[in-house]
Amino acid sequence: MTTTIKPQGSDLASRATGAALRKSIEQAVCSDGLAKIDLGEVQTLAESFADETFGVLALRHGVDWVVEHVEFHGASETVLTTIARVIDRRCPLEA
């Protein structure tokens, strides 16, 4: 079974909200093995929010863990780019 998590609001900005989402993702993965994140209504995603959620997930668990256990649905290219940028900043790939 997959848990779907839908953040509330179209503009996600605070680190506190990002930390809460990160905890929800970790709990979903622990319970179900996969967290489906519905970002279809998100118009803007602040780097601080993305860092606290996805950057910290990548730092704690590794980029491969995020790729294997977190699915992004409905996200715009801008939102996905922000997520990728913060993950790369936290866990840069070795050349």
Side-chain angles (χ1 to χ4, degrees), residues 39 45-47 49-56 58-59 63 66-67 70 72 75-93:
L39 298 172
L45 185 72
E47 285 205 16
F49 177 93
D51 179 62
E52 191 64 40
T53 306
F54 305 108
V56 173
L59 184 64
V63 175
V66 174
V67 171
V70 181
F72 299 100
S76 69
E77 186 175 332
T78 303
V79 167
L80 290 174
T81 298
T82 301
I83 293 169
R85 190 171 38 244
V86 300
I87 290 174
D88 184 56
R89 191 176 304 133
R90 287 279 188 161
C91 303
L93 296 175

Side-chain angles (χ1 to χ4, degrees), residues 7-68:
Q8 297 297 312
S10 60
D11 304 303
L12 304 177
S14 79
R15 283 195 176 271
T17 305
L21 177 59
R22 183 184 70 245
K23 290 175 186 174
S24 295
I25 292 168
E26 289 173 324
Q27 289 172 349
V29 171
C30 187
S31 297
D32 303 326
L34 184 66
K36 178 180 173 181
I37 312 302
D38 181 353
L39 298 172
E41 294 182 11
V42 177
Q43 294 177 6
T44 59
L45 185 72
E47 285 205 16
S48 58
F49 177 93
D51 179 62
E52 191 64 40
T53 306
F54 305 108
V56 173
L57 279 174
L59 184 64
R60 284 185 180 173
H61 302 286
V63 175
D64 289 341
W65 184 92
V66 174
V67 171
E68 292 171 12

